[in-house]
Amino acid sequence: MFGTLRVLIPDLDPRDLDATADPPDDDLDEAMVDGADWSGRTLAGAGIRRSHLLGVTLTDATWRNVRLYGCRFDRVDFSGSRLDGLTIERCEFVGCRMTGVQLADSTLKNVVFDDCRLDYAGLADVRASGPVAWAGCTLANAVLTDCRLPAAVFADCRLAGLELNDCQLGGADLRGNDLSGISGLLSLREATVAASQLGDLAALAVRELDITVVEGPPVVSRG
């Protein structure tokens, strides 16, 4: 549970998984991949199902139209990877390094990002068709564009420099985060925040609406 959001996570039994280190050219099912180096590899039109990737290096990899279901990604390095057209369902990303990752035109459902680094990441046209949670993640200087995340929770995340462009976060739960350093006030329409965050939103509104704030009442000169 993340606040009031219930997210289904993968149900994996290590006894059902077959150890492998070979980079997949096609579907990968019920695999245990520990410490493999798949950096710079391309995977297209394939599926990875009910698998556990632990300490795998995927830096600068390219995945297109890949389907991920029931997987756990544990301390996987996705830095600089380009992920296009992914369908991610019932997956968990734990302690993953995703600095500069580019995730585009993808759908998420029952997905958890726990203690992941997504600084300088770019998410474009990412849709949440079910619950999605970012918990204890770094999204500093990340850019979200045309993302629709109505069933999302951001909990205890570092958001300094986060840029929201034409996103829809109505219904998303943003409590427990410092919102003062983000940009994209209109993308927060109908989101849920705590009363203690109203000062953050006021500072954001002043900055984005170019409001001049002065001390004291106006001086009125009477002739």
Side-chain angles (χ1 to χ4, degrees), residues 59-194:
T59 55
D60 299 316
T62 299
W63 285 6
R64 293 190 301 271
N65 302 321
V66 174
R67 303 171 303 280
L68 306 177
Y69 179 81
C71 297
R72 179 182 172 94
F73 297 86
D74 198 342
R75 300 193 299 279
V76 173
D77 191 348
F78 286 94
S79 298
S81 293
R82 183 162 188 86
L83 313 174
D84 293 327
L86 269 60
T87 301
I88 308 175
E89 182 173 357
R90 199 165 183 175
C91 290
E92 190 175 22
F93 297 80
V94 180
C96 292
R97 185 177 179 88
M98 309 177 86
T99 300
V101 72
Q102 300 297 309
L103 176 64
D105 193 24
S106 297
T107 301
L108 313 180
K109 181 179 181 181
N110 285 305
V111 179
V112 173
F113 298 90
D114 186 1
D115 191 29
C116 294
R117 293 202 56 165
L118 293 105
D119 43 324
Y120 296 97
L123 278 64
D125 196 20
V126 174
R127 303 168 298 281
S129 63
V132 181
W134 283 267
C137 293
T138 297
L139 290 100
N141 301 299
V143 179
L144 276 61
T145 303
D146 293 322
C147 293
R148 295 182 290 283
L149 306 171
V153 167
F154 295 82
D156 193 26
C157 292
R158 291 164 290 283
L159 307 178
L162 174 64
E163 183 178 328
L164 303 173
N165 298 317
D166 297 319
C167 294
Q168 297 177 24
L169 294 177
D173 191 339
L174 304 177
R175 290 175 293 177
N177 305 282
D178 182 352
L179 304 179
S180 62
I182 71 173
S183 62
L185 179 65
L186 294 182
S187 292
L188 302 181
R189 184 187 301 273
E190 298 182 353
T192 297
V193 300

Side-chain angles (χ1 to χ4, degrees), residues 17-22 28 31-38 51-57 72 74-76:
L17 306 181
D18 297 321
T20 184
D22 297 330
L28 185 69
M32 176 66 198
V33 187
D34 188 351
D37 186 349
W38 295 350
S51 295
H52 185 181
L53 277 66
L54 172 63
V56 175
T57 301
R72 179 182 172 94
D74 198 342
R75 300 193 299 279
V76 173

